[in-house]
Amino acid sequence: MAFQFDGYLLSIKPARHVLTLIPGWGVHRLTLFFEAAGTGDIPEGQAHQLSGELWVNDMGNSGWLGPLMQRWPMEANPEGRNISFDVMLTDAQILGLEKARKGPELELRVDLTAVQLGAIAGWPARTDQLTVRISHEEWAKTLAQLDAGAFVDVLVPVTEVENRATAARRLREAKSLIGAGRFEEAVGKARLALDAVREACDTVNVVRNLPSAQQRSQEQRWGMLIQSAYQLFSGAQHDDSGTTEHFTWSRADAIAAVATAAGLLARLEDLP
């Protein structure tokens, strides 16, 4: 991105660390960081006011996110300087960004206007656009600052029981796989996490020789839920001819699988 004024050029590019997110109550502040530098015959102390809008360009779709706000004017310094812009994003917007992203990098578009302040003849203004690409790793770290993703986090108690600790690790891996867009693998990790649940609840024996649905005990109904989840998620690990080979897994499916497995694992806190 570059703004050509009389006698000099003001250029702007994304910083190495391009964004951070500060959580609020339903509305959050996203800050974008850039590096700005001037070349040419720059008037001493020449200041500029920059403003603009942030858009999302992702999966062929384009959407307006909000106005960009710069906190103070900037000088066109040949040595360069760091600048930042803030935009307010709601919970719904962040959820929409995450759904549109579907695992790959997030592509944002910055539309900026630079106004030369204190010019002799009026207020010269220039406009330009810049595409900012956010890797899925950086965006996942940014979302973590909200202590919330696009799915419910279930607190799994820290335990010294080996198979339960392993199950918790698999759920953490599943969450990372969702962020990377590898949904089938995430469901497979959720299935593996249920091994500890099935063992602790002895579900194979609990669901053997069940009475009618209306006559089942609470333990038997929990056992049915665990076994049903286990059998469903097993479809992500096997390609059985005519059945599981045709299973497909969306992001929503993976989120539901991980949340289900995490909730069932968390129940074990009160079990020996």
Side-chain angles (χ1 to χ4, degrees), residues 171 183-194 225-238 244 247 249 252-262 264:
L171 289 177
F183 306 135
E184 184 172 30
E185 293 177 59
V187 175
K189 290 289 184 180
R191 206 290 292 163
L192 291 173
L194 288 178
L225 172 61
I226 295 167
Q227 282 297 101
S228 295
Y230 176 84
Q231 292 167 2
L232 172 61
F233 303 163
S234 293
Q237 293 187 307
H238 304 286
T244 59
F247 284 15
W249 303 94
D253 294 335
I255 290 170
V258 173
T260 299
L264 293 172

PDB file of all heavy atoms in Angstrom, residues 171 183-194 225-238 244 247 249 252-262 264:
ATOM      1  N   LEU A 171      -8.017 -34.733  23.463  1.00  0.00           N
ATOM      2  CA  LEU A 171      -9.004 -33.684  23.222  1.00  0.00           C
ATOM      3  C   LEU A 171      -8.326 -32.359  22.882  1.00  0.00           C
ATOM      4  O   LEU A 171      -8.822 -31.593  22.054  1.00  0.00           O
ATOM      5  CB  LEU A 171      -9.917 -33.526  24.434  1.00  0.00           C
ATOM      6  CG  LEU A 171     -10.895 -34.682  24.664  1.00  0.00           C
ATOM      7  CD1 LEU A 171     -11.700 -34.442  25.930  1.00  0.00           C
ATOM      8  CD2 LEU A 171     -11.821 -34.864  23.469  1.00  0.00           C
ATOM      9  N   PHE A 183     -11.140 -32.000  10.203  1.00  0.00           N
ATOM     10  CA  PHE A 183     -12.291 -32.333  11.026  1.00  0.00           C
ATOM     11  C   PHE A 183     -12.426 -33.834  11.285  1.00  0.00           C
ATOM     12  O   PHE A 183     -12.757 -34.251  12.393  1.00  0.00           O
ATOM     13  CB  PHE A 183     -13.556 -31.785  10.365  1.00  0.00           C
ATOM     14  CG  PHE A 183     -13.475 -30.315  10.050  1.00  0.00           C
ATOM     15  CD1 PHE A 183     -13.888 -29.830   8.816  1.00  0.00           C
ATOM     16  CD2 PHE A 183     -12.964 -29.419  10.979  1.00  0.00           C
ATOM     17  CE1 PHE A 183     -13.808 -28.476   8.520  1.00  0.00           C
ATOM     18  CE2 PHE A 183     -12.874 -28.064  10.688  1.00  0.00           C
ATOM     19  CZ  PHE A 183     -13.294 -27.595   9.455  1.00  0.00           C
ATOM     20  N   GLU A 184     -12.181 -34.649  10.271  1.00  0.00           N
ATOM     21  CA  GLU A 184     -12.309 -36.098  10.459  1.00  0.00           C
ATOM     22  C   GLU A 184     -11.301 -36.599  11.487  1.00  0.00           C
ATOM     23  O   GLU A 184     -11.634 -37.424  12.349  1.00  0.00           O
ATOM     24  CB  GLU A 184     -12.111 -36.813   9.123  1.00  0.00           C
ATOM     25  CG  GLU A 184     -12.329 -38.319   9.215  1.00  0.00           C
ATOM     26  CD  GLU A 184     -12.315 -38.990   7.852  1.00  0.00           C
ATOM     27  OE1 GLU A 184     -11.621 -38.483   6.950  1.00  0.00           O
ATOM     28  OE2 GLU A 184     -12.998 -40.011   7.690  1.00  0.00           O
ATOM     29  N   GLU A 185     -10.072 -36.073  11.432  1.00  0.00           N
ATOM     30  CA  GLU A 185      -9.063 -36.478  12.407  1.00  0.00           C
ATOM     31  C   GLU A 185      -9.454 -36.037  13.811  1.00  0.00           C
ATOM     32  O   GLU A 185      -9.189 -36.742  14.793  1.00  0.00           O
ATOM     33  CB  GLU A 185      -7.709 -35.885  12.028  1.00  0.00           C
ATOM     34  CG  GLU A 185      -7.125 -36.444  10.738  1.00  0.00           C
ATOM     35  CD  GLU A 185      -5.818 -35.775  10.374  1.00  0.00           C
ATOM     36  OE1 GLU A 185      -4.869 -35.841  11.181  1.00  0.00           O
ATOM     37  OE2 GLU A 185      -5.746 -35.162   9.297  1.00  0.00           O
ATOM     38  N   ALA A 186     -10.089 -34.876  13.924  1.00  0.00           N
ATOM     39  CA  ALA A 186     -10.523 -34.384  15.233  1.00  0.00           C
ATOM     40  C   ALA A 186     -11.580 -35.310  15.829  1.00  0.00           C
ATOM     41  O   ALA A 186     -11.549 -35.622  17.030  1.00  0.00           O
ATOM     42  CB  ALA A 186     -11.062 -32.965  15.101  1.00  0.00           C
ATOM     43  N   VAL A 187     -12.521 -35.777  14.997  1.00  0.00           N
ATOM     44  CA  VAL A 187     -13.543 -36.703  15.478  1.00  0.00           C
ATOM     45  C   VAL A 187     -12.889 -38.013  15.916  1.00  0.00           C
ATOM     46  O   VAL A 187     -13.281 -38.616  16.928  1.00  0.00           O
ATOM     47  CB  VAL A 187     -14.599 -36.960  14.389  1.00  0.00           C
ATOM     48  CG1 VAL A 187     -15.608 -38.018  14.848  1.00  0.00           C
ATOM     49  CG2 VAL A 187     -15.327 -35.662  14.050  1.00  0.00           C
ATOM     50  N   GLY A 188     -11.875 -38.444  15.170  1.00  0.00           N
ATOM     51  CA  GLY A 188     -11.154 -39.655  15.552  1.00  0.00           C
ATOM     52  C   GLY A 188     -10.484 -39.523  16.909  1.00  0.00           C
ATOM     53  O   GLY A 188     -10.480 -40.460  17.718  1.00  0.00           O
ATOM     54  N   LYS A 189      -9.926 -38.352  17.201  1.00  0.00           N
ATOM     55  CA  LYS A 189      -9.320 -38.110  18.511  1.00  0.00           C
ATOM     56  C   LYS A 189     -10.376 -38.132  19.616  1.00  0.00           C
ATOM     57  O   LYS A 189     -10.133 -38.614  20.724  1.00  0.00           O
ATOM     58  CB  LYS A 189      -8.591 -36.765  18.511  1.00  0.00           C
ATOM     59  CG  LYS A 189      -7.333 -36.719  17.661  1.00  0.00           C
ATOM     60  CD  LYS A 189      -6.218 -37.542  18.273  1.00  0.00           C
ATOM     61  CE  LYS A 189      -4.929 -37.404  17.462  1.00  0.00           C
ATOM     62  NZ  LYS A 189      -3.812 -38.194  18.029  1.00  0.00           N
ATOM     63  N   ALA A 190     -11.556 -37.592  19.313  1.00  0.00           N
ATOM     64  CA  ALA A 190     -12.644 -37.617  20.294  1.00  0.00           C
ATOM     65  C   ALA A 190     -13.052 -39.060  20.595  1.00  0.00           C
ATOM     66  O   ALA A 190     -13.342 -39.404  21.749  1.00  0.00           O
ATOM     67  CB  ALA A 190     -13.841 -36.830  19.775  1.00  0.00           C
ATOM     68  N   ARG A 191     -13.074 -39.902  19.559  1.00  0.00           N
ATOM     69  CA  ARG A 191     -13.390 -41.320  19.778  1.00  0.00           C
ATOM     70  C   ARG A 191     -12.353 -41.980  20.683  1.00  0.00           C
ATOM     71  O   ARG A 191     -12.698 -42.711  21.614  1.00  0.00           O
ATOM     72  CB  ARG A 191     -13.451 -42.035  18.417  1.00  0.00           C
ATOM     73  CG  ARG A 191     -14.333 -43.285  18.408  1.00  0.00           C
ATOM     74  CD  ARG A 191     -13.752 -44.431  19.194  1.00  0.00           C
ATOM     75  NE  ARG A 191     -12.548 -44.990  18.607  1.00  0.00           N
ATOM     76  CZ  ARG A 191     -11.684 -45.768  19.252  1.00  0.00           C
ATOM     77  NH1 ARG A 191     -11.860 -46.058  20.527  1.00  0.00           N
ATOM     78  NH2 ARG A 191     -10.611 -46.232  18.652  1.00  0.00           N
ATOM     79  N   LEU A 192     -11.085 -41.700  20.447  1.00  0.00           N
ATOM     80  CA  LEU A 192     -10.032 -42.275  21.287  1.00  0.00           C
ATOM     81  C   LEU A 192     -10.155 -41.806  22.735  1.00  0.00           C
ATOM     82  O   LEU A 192      -9.869 -42.561  23.664  1.00  0.00           O
ATOM     83  CB  LEU A 192      -8.661 -41.898  20.724  1.00  0.00           C
ATOM     84  CG  LEU A 192      -8.278 -42.552  19.386  1.00  0.00           C
ATOM     85  CD1 LEU A 192      -6.977 -41.956  18.855  1.00  0.00           C
ATOM     86  CD2 LEU A 192      -8.150 -44.063  19.536  1.00  0.00           C
ATOM     87  N   ALA A 193     -10.581 -40.570  22.923  1.00  0.00           N
ATOM     88  CA  ALA A 193     -10.737 -40.045  24.278  1.00  0.00           C
ATOM     89  C   ALA A 193     -11.824 -40.789  25.047  1.00  0.00           C
ATOM     90  O   ALA A 193     -11.792 -40.853  26.284  1.00  0.00           O
ATOM     91  CB  ALA A 193     -11.055 -38.553  24.225  1.00  0.00           C
ATOM     92  N   LEU A 194     -12.786 -41.369  24.330  1.00  0.00           N
ATOM     93  CA  LEU A 194     -13.879 -42.081  24.997  1.00  0.00           C
ATOM     94  C   LEU A 194     -13.464 -43.442  25.540  1.00  0.00           C
ATOM     95  O   LEU A 194     -14.220 -44.058  26.310  1.00  0.00           O
ATOM     96  CB  LEU A 194     -15.053 -42.258  24.028  1.00  0.00           C
ATOM     97  CG  LEU A 194     -15.853 -40.987  23.707  1.00  0.00           C
ATOM     98  CD1 LEU A 194     -16.954 -41.308  22.707  1.00  0.00           C
ATOM     99  CD2 LEU A 194     -16.440 -40.390  24.975  1.00  0.00           C
ATOM    100  N   LEU A 225     -25.696 -43.462  26.024  1.00  0.00           N
ATOM    101  CA  LEU A 225     -25.151 -42.241  25.421  1.00  0.00           C
ATOM    102  C   LEU A 225     -23.674 -42.427  25.094  1.00  0.00           C
ATOM    103  O   LEU A 225     -23.209 -42.077  23.996  1.00  0.00           O
ATOM    104  CB  LEU A 225     -25.337 -41.061  26.378  1.00  0.00           C
ATOM    105  CG  LEU A 225     -24.654 -39.750  25.961  1.00  0.00           C
ATOM    106  CD1 LEU A 225     -25.203 -39.252  24.629  1.00  0.00           C
ATOM    107  CD2 LEU A 225     -24.830 -38.697  27.046  1.00  0.00           C
ATOM    108  N   ILE A 226     -22.924 -42.986  26.033  1.00  0.00           N
ATOM    109  CA  ILE A 226     -21.481 -43.188  25.821  1.00  0.00           C
ATOM    110  C   ILE A 226     -21.238 -44.143  24.656  1.00  0.00           C
ATOM    111  O   ILE A 226     -20.414 -43.877  23.769  1.00  0.00           O
ATOM    112  CB  ILE A 226     -20.829 -43.722  27.116  1.00  0.00           C
ATOM    113  CG1 ILE A 226     -20.911 -42.666  28.223  1.00  0.00           C
ATOM    114  CG2 ILE A 226     -19.371 -44.117  26.854  1.00  0.00           C
ATOM    115  CD1 ILE A 226     -20.579 -43.198  29.605  1.00  0.00           C
ATOM    116  N   GLN A 227     -21.965 -45.253  24.628  1.00  0.00           N
ATOM    117  CA  GLN A 227     -21.784 -46.228  23.561  1.00  0.00           C
ATOM    118  C   GLN A 227     -22.199 -45.665  22.201  1.00  0.00           C
ATOM    119  O   GLN A 227     -21.539 -45.902  21.182  1.00  0.00           O
ATOM    120  CB  GLN A 227     -22.589 -47.490  23.862  1.00  0.00           C
ATOM    121  CG  GLN A 227     -21.941 -48.416  24.881  1.00  0.00           C
ATOM    122  CD  GLN A 227     -20.614 -48.960  24.409  1.00  0.00           C
ATOM    123  OE1 GLN A 227     -19.561 -48.463  24.822  1.00  0.00           O
ATOM    124  NE2 GLN A 227     -20.648 -49.950  23.524  1.00  0.00           N
ATOM    125  N   SER A 228     -23.278 -44.890  22.187  1.00  0.00           N
ATOM    126  CA  SER A 228     -23.735 -44.308  20.915  1.00  0.00           C
ATOM    127  C   SER A 228     -22.718 -43.322  20.377  1.00  0.00           C
ATOM    128  O   SER A 228     -22.434 -43.301  19.166  1.00  0.00           O
ATOM    129  CB  SER A 228     -25.088 -43.623  21.123  1.00  0.00           C
ATOM    130  OG  SER A 228     -26.084 -44.562  21.454  1.00  0.00           O
ATOM    131  N   ALA A 229     -22.152 -42.489  21.273  1.00  0.00           N
ATOM    132  CA  ALA A 229     -21.130 -41.535  20.844  1.00  0.00           C
ATOM    133  C   ALA A 229     -19.899 -42.277  20.330  1.00  0.00           C
ATOM    134  O   ALA A 229     -19.319 -41.909  19.296  1.00  0.00           O
ATOM    135  CB  ALA A 229     -20.759 -40.609  21.998  1.00  0.00           C
ATOM    136  N   TYR A 230     -19.516 -43.319  21.047  1.00  0.00           N
ATOM    137  CA  TYR A 230     -18.347 -44.114  20.648  1.00  0.00           C
ATOM    138  C   TYR A 230     -18.546 -44.712  19.254  1.00  0.00           C
ATOM    139  O   TYR A 230     -17.661 -44.644  18.395  1.00  0.00           O
ATOM    140  CB  TYR A 230     -18.113 -45.211  21.681  1.00  0.00           C
ATOM    141  CG  TYR A 230     -16.992 -46.158  21.356  1.00  0.00           C
ATOM    142  CD1 TYR A 230     -15.669 -45.849  21.676  1.00  0.00           C
ATOM    143  CD2 TYR A 230     -17.244 -47.387  20.730  1.00  0.00           C
ATOM    144  CE1 TYR A 230     -14.629 -46.725  21.382  1.00  0.00           C
ATOM    145  CE2 TYR A 230     -16.219 -48.263  20.428  1.00  0.00           C
ATOM    146  CZ  TYR A 230     -14.914 -47.925  20.753  1.00  0.00           C
ATOM    147  OH  TYR A 230     -13.897 -48.791  20.451  1.00  0.00           O
ATOM    148  N   GLN A 231     -19.710 -45.289  19.017  1.00  0.00           N
ATOM    149  CA  GLN A 231     -19.979 -45.915  17.727  1.00  0.00           C
ATOM    150  C   GLN A 231     -20.051 -44.886  16.605  1.00  0.00           C
ATOM    151  O   GLN A 231     -19.570 -45.128  15.497  1.00  0.00           O
ATOM    152  CB  GLN A 231     -21.277 -46.717  17.820  1.00  0.00           C
ATOM    153  CG  GLN A 231     -21.168 -47.935  18.724  1.00  0.00           C
ATOM    154  CD  GLN A 231     -22.516 -48.537  19.067  1.00  0.00           C
ATOM    155  OE1 GLN A 231     -23.556 -48.078  18.599  1.00  0.00           O
ATOM    156  NE2 GLN A 231     -22.506 -49.575  19.904  1.00  0.00           N
ATOM    157  N   LEU A 232     -20.651 -43.732  16.892  1.00  0.00           N
ATOM    158  CA  LEU A 232     -20.743 -42.681  15.874  1.00  0.00           C
ATOM    159  C   LEU A 232     -19.358 -42.160  15.511  1.00  0.00           C
ATOM    160  O   LEU A 232     -19.000 -42.076  14.330  1.00  0.00           O
ATOM    161  CB  LEU A 232     -21.619 -41.536  16.382  1.00  0.00           C
ATOM    162  CG  LEU A 232     -21.668 -40.278  15.502  1.00  0.00           C
ATOM    163  CD1 LEU A 232     -22.241 -40.612  14.128  1.00  0.00           C
ATOM    164  CD2 LEU A 232     -22.494 -39.198  16.185  1.00  0.00           C
ATOM    165  N   PHE A 233     -18.565 -41.822  16.523  1.00  0.00           N
ATOM    166  CA  PHE A 233     -17.247 -41.234  16.260  1.00  0.00           C
ATOM    167  C   PHE A 233     -16.286 -42.244  15.643  1.00  0.00           C
ATOM    168  O   PHE A 233     -15.327 -41.864  14.967  1.00  0.00           O
ATOM    169  CB  PHE A 233     -16.641 -40.676  17.556  1.00  0.00           C
ATOM    170  CG  PHE A 233     -17.506 -39.658  18.254  1.00  0.00           C
ATOM    171  CD1 PHE A 233     -17.282 -39.325  19.589  1.00  0.00           C
ATOM    172  CD2 PHE A 233     -18.553 -39.030  17.592  1.00  0.00           C
ATOM    173  CE1 PHE A 233     -18.074 -38.398  20.237  1.00  0.00           C
ATOM    174  CE2 PHE A 233     -19.361 -38.090  18.238  1.00  0.00           C
ATOM    175  CZ  PHE A 233     -19.123 -37.780  19.568  1.00  0.00           C
ATOM    176  N   SER A 234     -16.549 -43.540  15.852  1.00  0.00           N
ATOM    177  CA  SER A 234     -15.692 -44.574  15.248  1.00  0.00           C
ATOM    178  C   SER A 234     -15.735 -44.508  13.726  1.00  0.00           C
ATOM    179  O   SER A 234     -14.810 -44.983  13.054  1.00  0.00           O
ATOM    180  CB  SER A 234     -16.120 -45.969  15.726  1.00  0.00           C
ATOM    181  OG  SER A 234     -15.878 -46.137  17.109  1.00  0.00           O
ATOM    182  N   GLY A 235     -16.804 -43.917  13.193  1.00  0.00           N
ATOM    183  CA  GLY A 235     -16.905 -43.787  11.742  1.00  0.00           C
ATOM    184  C   GLY A 235     -15.817 -42.926  11.139  1.00  0.00           C
ATOM    185  O   GLY A 235     -15.576 -42.990   9.921  1.00  0.00           O
ATOM    186  N   ALA A 236     -15.157 -42.101  11.966  1.00  0.00           N
ATOM    187  CA  ALA A 236     -14.069 -41.258  11.463  1.00  0.00           C
ATOM    188  C   ALA A 236     -12.765 -42.028  11.349  1.00  0.00           C
ATOM    189  O   ALA A 236     -11.814 -41.545  10.718  1.00  0.00           O
ATOM    190  CB  ALA A 236     -13.878 -40.044  12.376  1.00  0.00           C
ATOM    191  N   GLN A 237     -12.706 -43.210  11.953  1.00  0.00           N
ATOM    192  CA  GLN A 237     -11.464 -43.985  11.961  1.00  0.00           C
ATOM    193  C   GLN A 237     -11.509 -45.209  11.065  1.00  0.00           C
ATOM    194  O   GLN A 237     -10.490 -45.828  10.817  1.00  0.00           O
ATOM    195  CB  GLN A 237     -11.143 -44.426  13.394  1.00  0.00           C
ATOM    196  CG  GLN A 237     -10.796 -43.267  14.322  1.00  0.00           C
ATOM    197  CD  GLN A 237     -10.316 -43.767  15.663  1.00  0.00           C
ATOM    198  OE1 GLN A 237     -10.976 -44.548  16.311  1.00  0.00           O
ATOM    199  NE2 GLN A 237      -9.142 -43.319  16.064  1.00  0.00           N
ATOM    200  N   HIS A 238     -12.698 -45.549  10.587  1.00  0.00           N
ATOM    201  CA  HIS A 238     -12.838 -46.767   9.783  1.00  0.00           C
ATOM    202  C   HIS A 238     -13.563 -46.457   8.483  1.00  0.00           C
ATOM    203  O   HIS A 238     -14.482 -45.641   8.455  1.00  0.00           O
ATOM    204  CB  HIS A 238     -13.609 -47.842  10.559  1.00  0.00           C
ATOM    205  CG  HIS A 238     -13.001 -48.173  11.894  1.00  0.00           C
ATOM    206  ND1 HIS A 238     -11.847 -48.903  12.027  1.00  0.00           N
ATOM    207  CD2 HIS A 238     -13.396 -47.836  13.156  1.00  0.00           C
ATOM    208  CE1 HIS A 238     -11.551 -49.032  13.313  1.00  0.00           C
ATOM    209  NE2 HIS A 238     -12.464 -48.389  14.020  1.00  0.00           N
ATOM    210  N   THR A 244     -19.411 -46.658   6.843  1.00  0.00           N
ATOM    211  CA  THR A 244     -18.580 -45.539   7.295  1.00  0.00           C
ATOM    212  C   THR A 244     -17.697 -44.954   6.195  1.00  0.00           C
ATOM    213  O   THR A 244     -17.214 -43.828   6.342  1.00  0.00           O
ATOM    214  CB  THR A 244     -17.692 -45.962   8.480  1.00  0.00           C
ATOM    215  OG1 THR A 244     -16.858 -47.064   8.082  1.00  0.00           O
ATOM    216  CG2 THR A 244     -18.534 -46.385   9.667  1.00  0.00           C
ATOM    217  N   PHE A 247     -19.089 -41.687   5.296  1.00  0.00           N
ATOM    218  CA  PHE A 247     -19.292 -40.654   6.312  1.00  0.00           C
ATOM    219  C   PHE A 247     -18.486 -39.403   5.951  1.00  0.00           C
ATOM    220  O   PHE A 247     -17.343 -39.496   5.488  1.00  0.00           O
ATOM    221  CB  PHE A 247     -18.854 -41.147   7.687  1.00  0.00           C
ATOM    222  CG  PHE A 247     -19.815 -42.113   8.346  1.00  0.00           C
ATOM    223  CD1 PHE A 247     -20.805 -42.733   7.616  1.00  0.00           C
ATOM    224  CD2 PHE A 247     -19.706 -42.405   9.702  1.00  0.00           C
ATOM    225  CE1 PHE A 247     -21.679 -43.625   8.222  1.00  0.00           C
ATOM    226  CE2 PHE A 247     -20.570 -43.291  10.312  1.00  0.00           C
ATOM    227  CZ  PHE A 247     -21.560 -43.914   9.576  1.00  0.00           C
ATOM    228  N   TRP A 249     -17.522 -35.368   7.609  1.00  0.00           N
ATOM    229  CA  TRP A 249     -17.479 -34.673   8.892  1.00  0.00           C
ATOM    230  C   TRP A 249     -17.254 -33.184   8.674  1.00  0.00           C
ATOM    231  O   TRP A 249     -16.242 -32.779   8.112  1.00  0.00           O
ATOM    232  CB  TRP A 249     -16.370 -35.259   9.767  1.00  0.00           C
ATOM    233  CG  TRP A 249     -16.529 -36.737   9.976  1.00  0.00           C
ATOM    234  CD1 TRP A 249     -15.949 -37.736   9.255  1.00  0.00           C
ATOM    235  CD2 TRP A 249     -17.357 -37.378  10.957  1.00  0.00           C
ATOM    236  NE1 TRP A 249     -16.348 -38.966   9.718  1.00  0.00           N
ATOM    237  CE2 TRP A 249     -17.223 -38.782  10.769  1.00  0.00           C
ATOM    238  CE3 TRP A 249     -18.202 -36.907  11.966  1.00  0.00           C
ATOM    239  CZ2 TRP A 249     -17.893 -39.706  11.556  1.00  0.00           C
ATOM    240  CZ3 TRP A 249     -18.868 -37.834  12.758  1.00  0.00           C
ATOM    241  CH2 TRP A 249     -18.713 -39.222  12.553  1.00  0.00           C
ATOM    242  N   ALA A 252     -18.868 -28.343  12.307  1.00  0.00           N
ATOM    243  CA  ALA A 252     -19.860 -28.447  13.379  1.00  0.00           C
ATOM    244  C   ALA A 252     -19.881 -29.850  13.972  1.00  0.00           C
ATOM    245  O   ALA A 252     -20.033 -30.024  15.192  1.00  0.00           O
ATOM    246  CB  ALA A 252     -21.247 -28.066  12.853  1.00  0.00           C
ATOM    247  N   ASP A 253     -19.722 -30.880  13.121  1.00  0.00           N
ATOM    248  CA  ASP A 253     -19.667 -32.257  13.611  1.00  0.00           C
ATOM    249  C   ASP A 253     -18.473 -32.450  14.547  1.00  0.00           C
ATOM    250  O   ASP A 253     -18.593 -33.065  15.616  1.00  0.00           O
ATOM    251  CB  ASP A 253     -19.536 -33.237  12.442  1.00  0.00           C
ATOM    252  CG  ASP A 253     -20.764 -33.259  11.547  1.00  0.00           C
ATOM    253  OD1 ASP A 253     -21.854 -32.918  12.030  1.00  0.00           O
ATOM    254  OD2 ASP A 253     -20.615 -33.615  10.364  1.00  0.00           O
ATOM    255  N   ALA A 254     -17.327 -31.936  14.139  1.00  0.00           N
ATOM    256  CA  ALA A 254     -16.120 -32.099  14.944  1.00  0.00           C
ATOM    257  C   ALA A 254     -16.249 -31.383  16.283  1.00  0.00           C
ATOM    258  O   ALA A 254     -15.830 -31.907  17.330  1.00  0.00           O
ATOM    259  CB  ALA A 254     -14.908 -31.582  14.169  1.00  0.00           C
ATOM    260  N   ILE A 255     -16.818 -30.194  16.259  1.00  0.00           N
ATOM    261  CA  ILE A 255     -17.019 -29.441  17.503  1.00  0.00           C
ATOM    262  C   ILE A 255     -17.938 -30.208  18.447  1.00  0.00           C
ATOM    263  O   ILE A 255     -17.663 -30.340  19.646  1.00  0.00           O
ATOM    264  CB  ILE A 255     -17.599 -28.052  17.197  1.00  0.00           C
ATOM    265  CG1 ILE A 255     -16.540 -27.185  16.521  1.00  0.00           C
ATOM    266  CG2 ILE A 255     -18.106 -27.366  18.463  1.00  0.00           C
ATOM    267  CD1 ILE A 255     -17.077 -25.885  15.964  1.00  0.00           C
ATOM    268  N   ALA A 256     -19.039 -30.750  17.900  1.00  0.00           N
ATOM    269  CA  ALA A 256     -19.980 -31.511  18.723  1.00  0.00           C
ATOM    270  C   ALA A 256     -19.310 -32.754  19.305  1.00  0.00           C
ATOM    271  O   ALA A 256     -19.536 -33.110  20.476  1.00  0.00           O
ATOM    272  CB  ALA A 256     -21.202 -31.903  17.889  1.00  0.00           C
ATOM    273  N   ALA A 257     -18.485 -33.426  18.507  1.00  0.00           N
ATOM    274  CA  ALA A 257     -17.806 -34.636  18.975  1.00  0.00           C
ATOM    275  C   ALA A 257     -16.848 -34.321  20.117  1.00  0.00           C
ATOM    276  O   ALA A 257     -16.830 -35.020  21.140  1.00  0.00           O
ATOM    277  CB  ALA A 257     -17.063 -35.293  17.809  1.00  0.00           C
ATOM    278  N   VAL A 258     -16.047 -33.271  19.953  1.00  0.00           N
ATOM    279  CA  VAL A 258     -15.067 -32.919  20.985  1.00  0.00           C
ATOM    280  C   VAL A 258     -15.773 -32.458  22.259  1.00  0.00           C
ATOM    281  O   VAL A 258     -15.388 -32.836  23.376  1.00  0.00           O
ATOM    282  CB  VAL A 258     -14.100 -31.835  20.466  1.00  0.00           C
ATOM    283  CG1 VAL A 258     -13.194 -31.342  21.582  1.00  0.00           C
ATOM    284  CG2 VAL A 258     -13.269 -32.386  19.317  1.00  0.00           C
ATOM    285  N   ALA A 259     -16.817 -31.647  22.112  1.00  0.00           N
ATOM    286  CA  ALA A 259     -17.548 -31.172  23.289  1.00  0.00           C
ATOM    287  C   ALA A 259     -18.215 -32.334  24.025  1.00  0.00           C
ATOM    288  O   ALA A 259     -18.218 -32.382  25.261  1.00  0.00           O
ATOM    289  CB  ALA A 259     -18.583 -30.136  22.875  1.00  0.00           C
ATOM    290  N   THR A 260     -18.769 -33.292  23.266  1.00  0.00           N
ATOM    291  CA  THR A 260     -19.410 -34.453  23.885  1.00  0.00           C
ATOM    292  C   THR A 260     -18.399 -35.289  24.651  1.00  0.00           C
ATOM    293  O   THR A 260     -18.625 -35.674  25.812  1.00  0.00           O
ATOM    294  CB  THR A 260     -20.106 -35.306  22.815  1.00  0.00           C
ATOM    295  OG1 THR A 260     -21.109 -34.528  22.163  1.00  0.00           O
ATOM    296  CG2 THR A 260     -20.743 -36.542  23.431  1.00  0.00           C
ATOM    297  N   ALA A 261     -17.282 -35.592  24.003  1.00  0.00           N
ATOM    298  CA  ALA A 261     -16.253 -36.409  24.661  1.00  0.00           C
ATOM    299  C   ALA A 261     -15.694 -35.699  25.888  1.00  0.00           C
ATOM    300  O   ALA A 261     -15.455 -36.327  26.922  1.00  0.00           O
ATOM    301  CB  ALA A 261     -15.135 -36.728  23.668  1.00  0.00           C
ATOM    302  N   ALA A 262     -15.500 -34.392  25.782  1.00  0.00           N
ATOM    303  CA  ALA A 262     -14.966 -33.638  26.913  1.00  0.00           C
ATOM    304  C   ALA A 262     -15.945 -33.647  28.083  1.00  0.00           C
ATOM    305  O   ALA A 262     -15.547 -33.803  29.251  1.00  0.00           O
ATOM    306  CB  ALA A 262     -14.664 -32.201  26.495  1.00  0.00           C
ATOM    307  N   LEU A 264     -18.246 -35.919  28.780  1.00  0.00           N
ATOM    308  CA  LEU A 264     -18.285 -37.263  29.367  1.00  0.00           C
ATOM    309  C   LEU A 264     -17.026 -37.549  30.168  1.00  0.00           C
ATOM    310  O   LEU A 264     -17.078 -38.211  31.218  1.00  0.00           O
ATOM    311  CB  LEU A 264     -18.474 -38.297  28.258  1.00  0.00           C
ATOM    312  CG  LEU A 264     -19.836 -38.251  27.544  1.00  0.00           C
ATOM    313  CD1 LEU A 264     -19.839 -39.190  26.341  1.00  0.00           C
ATOM    314  CD2 LEU A 264     -20.964 -38.603  28.508  1.00  0.00           C
TER     315      LEU A 264
END
